[in-house]
Amino acid sequence: MPSDSSVHDAIRRLVDEEHQLRAYRPGPALEHAAQAERLRAVEVELDQCWDLLRQRRALRTAGADPDTAAVRPENQVERYLQ
């Protein structure tokens, strides 16, 4: 199970990639579609990382083992209200 530190590292890496993708100006339509698809995947991975971090913190606060937290599927984390 990942540690809080490794989840934070993944978040930083994904945020950097997200910024690069948003700043990049694609050329052909296929390149644009690939960029949009990767951006969507990065957004989902970020949501999953933040959710995992929240689960770990909640478990720790409740006195439970944070290593029992698990990455939830996209269809679950993407339905949360922000």
Side-chain angles (χ1 to χ4, degrees):
M1 186 51 61
S3 66
D4 288 2
S5 177
S6 66
V7 176
H8 279 287
D9 290 344
I11 289 170
R12 279 189 285 276
R13 179 185 54 78
L14 288 165
V15 166
D16 287 346
E17 183 177 356
E18 180 184 33
H19 289 166
Q20 290 172 357
L21 287 167
R22 290 187 187 283
Y24 178 72
R25 299 292 176 232
L30 286 176
E31 194 174 317
H32 179 69
Q35 177 189 356
E37 185 176 324
R38 180 59 192 151
L39 182 57
R40 174 70 183 128
V42 166
E43 290 170 342
V44 169
E45 286 181 63
L46 273 169
D47 288 345
Q48 288 173 316
C49 285
W50 283 115
D51 176 67
L52 181 59
L53 201 56
R54 284 189 293 270
Q55 285 182 63
R56 290 180 58 78
R57 287 178 179 162
L59 286 165
R60 191 176 295 111
T61 299
D65 182 0
D67 288 339
T68 61
V71 175
R72 295 182 211 200
E74 174 184 352
N75 66 351
Q76 187 172 1
V77 298
E78 292 301 293
R79 291 191 176 146
Y80 294 149
L81 298 176
Q82 301 283 328

